[in-house]
Every structure is written in structure tokens, then in C-alpha cells.
Amino acid sequence: MSAAATAEPVERTVKHPDGVLHIVDRSGEEPAIVLMHGFPDDHHIYDRLLQKVVLVGHDASGPEAIEFALRSPAQVAQLVLLNTYYGRCQGLRFPEMIRLFADPQLAPLADAMVDDPQQRLWLLTHSAKQFGMYPLKPDGNAATSIVAQYFGSEQQPDALGEIRAWTADLFGALAAQDERIAQGHLRRLATRATLIFGRRDTYLSVNVARRLAELVGTSDVHPIEGASQWPQWDEPQTVASILGGGAVRVVTPNPHHESETMGQDDLISAADCRLEAR
């Protein structure tokens, strides 16, 4: 990795008609690397992995990455998709919390549960258990990247409004993606695609990866053993080797912290959420 690429990152805020983007800009050599996170995490999912690809889409940002590659093929040297989806397909499952938030008929219930910090915590804990992330590790992905989206932190406010807005649009977005598939748009994808999926993800599963590979016209599919929905976090060295490890930096976590775990009381503390016992 070049000396320029090791410079301290610069954080920027970019205003857009649809909202505000928080960008962490690291200097380095071309081509530019654009790392997009999914839902409900943030840019910290890439703390342990820097990849030499142009466009990396994970989870909810995968469809956006695909559509950008369709619109601007000359600007995308390679498309990497990590545990994501595009349209409805056999085997696709969304986490129960996401389905609850996405169902318009259940919106009043979802809003009430989100507004109650204890219920919000229960939903988050339930989801963590489904992904094998509970009890939480202090240096793990959930504590590092996800909890703050629901409870905020000293560095950032919560993202509850954005979470509710994105999930409310999920079914409509899937229908639009199905229509683009039916019209043959994905068959016109000119960008080389690589799919890297954690095998332990029962929602965005390897079967979803294989179907998505058919749609984008690639056989470059890499199921990662020992990884769940975040292979770039669970198995960063393996993901780095697939992408070409020469320019990839993998951060080794503190072994002492990795041996610790966080229970529900610690999760409440991490969220800085003061709950009264009932």
C-alpha cells in the first residue's frame, strides 16, 4: 500500500437533495474505492478491511451498487456484492424486524415498538441472536457499528428516522427491481461482478448469491465458511485474499477484547439508554 494510502482519513459531509451523506475520505492511488454499507450498520463495518475495488455493495446498498453500475458502466471497474439481494427470488428472507418495519399495515405497531427504548432493545437483541452475534463482543460488529444506529452515541445521533423511511420503501423497491429484471436490464450489466457471501447467513443466503450471480451473468461466487451476513468483518483475511490482498489492510482486533462478551445489560450501557425496570 502506498504511503499516500496510509494518511489519516478526512471526514466530510456532503449535502444532497435527498439528504446528507457522511463520507470518510482516504487518500490513495486510483481507481477510487467506494465502500457502501447496508442496513442497519454504518461505515465501521469496513474498519478491518480496505479493498482495491471500485464499488462494493453490502446488504441494502447492493441494489444501489448494481443500478449505479448499470447507469454508469464506464465508471465502475469492478462490482463486488457482499450478502445482498436484488428483487425477490426463491430463498430470499428478510430478518423479522425488517419485515415488521416494512409491512405498511403494521406501521403503527412498528412505530410504537421503536418509540419504546425497551422494545427497541428487545428487537435489536432478537436480531443479534438470529445472526449469532449475541452475547455481543465489545469490539464486534454489532457493538461497533449497529447499536449506535438505534440508540445514538456520543459521536452521532440515532438513525431511527432513516431506518423507518428505508424499510417503509422496501416492498416498493423490490417490485421495481423485479420489473427491471423482467425487462432484461441485469443481462446488460457490463461490469465484472464478484459475489462474496457469508455461508452462515440464513436470510441473504448462498442460494440468493447463486440466483443473483445468474442475473448479473457471473460465476465468480465465493461462499465464506465461518461468516454470517458480514463476511468482510467475520473473515476479513479471506475476503481480502479473494479481492487481491496486495493492497488490502486487515486490522487484527485486540485479543483480550475479543474474548469478552456483552450481555443485555452491557448492550443497554453501550446504547447509553437509561431504562427503568418494570
Side-chain angles (χ1 to χ4, degrees):
M1 188 162 60
S2 68
T6 62
E8 287 296 317
V10 177
E11 297 194 18
R12 309 177 188 275
T13 298
V14 178
K15 293 184 178 181
H16 185 273
D18 294 327
V20 178
L21 296 177
H22 175 74
I23 296 173
V24 180
D25 187 4
R26 299 175 185 267
S27 61
E29 300 175 355
E30 294 185 348
I33 302 171
V34 180
L35 303 177
M36 304 192 302
H37 63 82
F39 168 86
D41 41 54
D42 62 12
H43 65 91
H44 287 296
I45 62 171
Y46 292 105
D47 282 355
R48 294 173 63 187
L49 178 65
L50 293 180
Q51 309 166 5
K52 60 171 189 177
V53 296
V54 171
L55 195 58
V56 180
H58 171 252
D59 193 82
S61 67
E64 303 300 327
I66 292 171
E67 292 183 7
F68 183 87
L70 286 169
R71 293 193 305 269
S72 307
Q75 298 181 42
V76 183
Q78 184 181 6
L79 177 64
V80 178
L81 301 172
L82 307 173
N83 285 73
T84 188
Y85 61 92
Y86 194 91
R88 300 178 180 89
C89 70
Q90 185 175 3
L92 174 63
R93 296 174 57 229
F94 286 102
E96 293 79 7
M97 181 174 65
I98 304 303
R99 289 197 60 87
L100 168 64
F101 288 177
D103 191 327
Q105 297 186 27
L106 297 178
L109 173 62
D111 288 336
M113 296 187 75
V114 168
D115 289 342
D116 183 333
Q118 291 194 28
Q119 293 297 323
R120 192 190 322 156
L121 176 62
W122 185 90
L123 287 170
L124 197 59
T125 301
H126 173 80
S127 295
K129 291 177 179 178
Q130 306 314 303
F131 283 109
M133 301 168 70
Y134 190 85
L136 305 186
K137 296 180 179 180
D139 289 341
N141 183 30
T144 301
S145 180
I146 297 175
V147 171
Q149 310 308 313
Y150 285 86
F151 293 96
S153 69
E154 294 180 358
Q155 292 76 35
Q156 67 186 73
D158 66 59
L160 294 176
E162 290 78 6
I163 289 171
R164 295 297 289 120
W166 176 79
T167 52
D169 188 52
L170 176 60
F171 292 158
L174 288 170
Q177 293 157 20
D178 287 338
E179 180 62 23
R180 283 188 281 275
I181 292 172
Q183 294 175 357
H185 289 197
L186 265 64
R187 290 195 295 271
R188 297 196 288 270
L189 183 68
T191 305
R192 183 167 65 93
T194 298
L195 278 69
I196 305 174
F197 273 54
R199 191 181 284 278
R200 291 193 293 109
D201 187 350
T202 60
Y203 297 101
L204 303 178
S205 66
V206 173
N207 288 334
V208 174
R210 295 191 178 109
R211 173 55 179 157
L212 185 56
E214 294 175 1
L215 293 175
V216 300
T218 184
S219 58
D220 194 4
V221 180
H222 301 268
I224 305 299
E225 301 291 344
S228 184
Q229 211 220 18
W230 295 269
Q232 70 273 48
W233 184 277
D234 294 337
E235 296 291 338
Q237 193 64 60
T238 302
V239 174
S241 67
I242 295 171
L243 298 176
V248 176
R249 177 175 65 90
V250 176
V251 178
T252 302
N254 185 318
H256 174 68
H257 284 170
E258 281 295 310
S259 66
E260 299 174 354
T261 59
M262 300 171 64
Q264 182 157 325
D265 291 341
D266 300 303
L267 176 56
I268 295 173
S269 176
D272 192 26
C273 179
R274 289 163 171 74
L275 304 178
E276 296 180 359
R278 293 185 178 178

